Amino acid sequence: MFKRLISVVRHAKKYLLIIVFTLPASVWAQTTAEGAQGAVSSRSMLASQVGLDIMKQGGNAVDAAVAMGFALAVTYPSAGNLGGGGFMMLHTEAGEVLALDFRETAPGTAAENMFLDDSGSVIAGMSTETHLAAGIPGSVAGLLEALNKHGTFSREKVLAPAIKLAEEGFPLPSDIATQFSKHQDKFKKYAGSARSFIKKNKTYQAGEIWKQPDLALTLKLIAAQGRDGFYKGKVADLIVAEMEKGNGRISHNDLLSYEPVWRKPIHGTYRSFEIWGMPPPSSGGILVQQILNMLEPFVLDKSRRNQDETLHLMIEAERRAYADRAEYLGDSDFYPVPIERLIDKTYAKQRFSDFDVQKASNSDEIGPGAWPEESRETTHYSVMDAKGNAVSVTTTLNTAYGNKIVVDGAGFLLNNEMDDFSIKPGFANTYGLLGNKANAIAPNKRMLSSMSPTIVTLNGQPFLATGSPGGSTIITTTLQVLINVVDHNMTLASAVKSPRFHHQWKPNKVFYEPGALSEAQLSVLRSKNHVGIIPSPWKIGDANSVIKRKRGFISVSDPRSMGGALAY
Ligand code: DON
């Protein structure tokens, strides 16, 4: 459909707007699809189309996921990326479940106090809006590692669709055009960003063809040379030159030494299902399992959905798990994270022994600035094929468009992931998350993440691939999708659509989406001493998921945003 659209547009530019606005909505977004051969779900219809096409050409779910990762860097620039990082959970057709960490890494010259002034105070904006905010990008190395080990297609073949989209352009969806306009003042500050996002001093309009020639060149170098096309040579020179313009610290040596890491997945059970999640440097897998462990002794079946006691129970479990996160979690290569203890069912029992059915426990209020004004963007995509491969990937630049700095000449944005470190003990990051020594900055350390790409298996087979963006709310979003499917027996579409709520220990607040808590439930929660129950300023999460049912694959893209669920 899009290919046709692009060629029509090229020949009849003046009719563009008419064409775009009369296109069926399904060109821009599709929330569900079913098929027996394979299924994909992502935040970008174009990227989903790329993944589906790869599988239709005989590629497996890994080939599709890698192609989608590169395509998202072109079609969904606020979070899809070459200059960021992420995590991939993978169920192989041989029945193994693997976890690939391609998180960004602090540069070799990073220092614990690098975002503090001489008096030890945090310098506002330094860990989010500067060259110094960028960690060493991991996505290119990570995607290529997944392809090398578990893909079947060549690098050139999986990169071809992304190159084409960058080179020939595509009609800009309205939500992305709005974002370009929103961030234009920041983009104008950097030559590379202005070249990518601003056209002759104006922002692009919805439906206009948006091309990214510099990004196309970078992608071609990666296709031709593999990781060396990014971490060495021209692109590496451009990254280092960009760093020099703004006192950034990523060096040639940092780029050369970046490595993705295969890690032991967090593995636990919940009722009759096995849950596989991401270990540190993400907190996602541990927290999801820890909360599930605390909930498991309680009956949460369909009849308990949205009941006051269920909400109270979930909030209390979340409070305790996030408190542990702040104290114990960080990059386990640098800090002894007590992983086994945290995901142990006996520990959950003990940790939850002070749970009071009648009353909320108390997390002290924290100061202002705990909840972000910054718009938040990360992206999750899921893929399954009929051979038994399932892939669940969450990737990000951290906040929307990362540090907003496009590497001049290379056409991709840099992340601002350094803010995910605890830049000072007790100082809340963009998502209001606190941390301590475990997540302090150190050279070559990876900052703690909440990203929770998850694979659920049943009787040894992939059952569900899910995950979400949303900073600290990633974990509670993923959890709610799981509980909705496993306990409340909901269809995947309803499980994903269902309004969400979130508690993260500190700030001591319950954030909820419209419809998540009724007036009656609000008063019950207040009567149990829950404080700070407020409507979330954001839609919570964007859980693009795929499930395997008896009749085949069902893919669902979260209706909170314009994404693409496709299957065949
Ligand atoms: O790794 C993390 O936890 C964050 N950098 C994720 C940021 C995020 O989800 C923003 N998006 N909505």
Side-chain angles (χ1 to χ4, degrees), residues 20-200:
V20 165
F21 290 114
T22 52
L23 280 169
S26 63
V27 172
W28 298 109
Q30 179 166 306
T31 51
T32 56
E34 278 192 46
Q37 299 303 310
V40 298
S41 178
S42 85
R43 174 62 179 82
S44 157
M45 189 72 170
L46 281 167
S48 290
Q49 190 65 57
V50 164
L52 197 79
D53 287 348
I54 291 275
M55 285 200 285
K56 282 185 176 169
Q57 289 164 33
N60 68 10
V62 180
D63 298 316
V66 172
M68 288 168 78
F70 284 114
L72 282 162
V74 181
T75 62
Y76 187 54
S78 69
N81 66 81
L82 299 186
F87 299 103
M88 176 185 285
M89 291 299 305
L90 167 60
H91 181 287
T92 68
E93 55 192 84
E96 262 187 308
V97 186
L98 307 168
L100 181 61
D101 159 10
F102 52 98
R103 180 70 159 166
E104 299 90 329
T105 301
T109 54
E112 187 164 345
N113 58 0
M114 64 189 276
F115 298 114
L116 308 183
D117 65 16
D118 291 344
S119 66
S121 302
V122 170
I123 303 169
M126 201 172 185
S127 62
T128 51
E129 297 190 354
T130 65
H131 288 76
L132 215 50
I136 307 163
S139 291
V140 173
L143 291 173
L144 294 181
E145 172 69 12
L147 183 72
N148 286 342
K149 296 277 157 60
H150 299 283
T152 62
F153 274 16
S154 68
R155 205 167 57 218
E156 290 80 0
K157 201 159 177 176
V158 295
L159 271 143
I163 293 171
K164 193 167 185 330
L165 285 161
E167 203 161 45
E168 298 182 4
F170 58 91
L172 202 58
S174 56
D175 56 337
I176 299 184
T178 308
Q179 293 175 348
F180 284 7
S181 147
K182 180 174 157 201
H183 297 299
Q184 61 173 310
D185 288 345
K186 288 191 176 148
F187 292 149
K188 279 180 186 157
K189 294 201 307 199
Y190 307 103
S193 312
R195 261 153 70 90
S196 290
F197 300 115
I198 294 166
K199 190 179 82 176
K200 295 183 195 136

Side-chain angles (χ1 to χ4, degrees), residues 103 376-378 396 398 417 420 431 449-451 469-471 474:
R103 180 70 159 166
R376 296 125 18 96
E377 292 281 352
T378 289
T396 191
N398 192 21
E417 220 77 62
D420 273 348
Y431 307 101
S449 173
S450 300
M451 290 190 272
I474 291 174

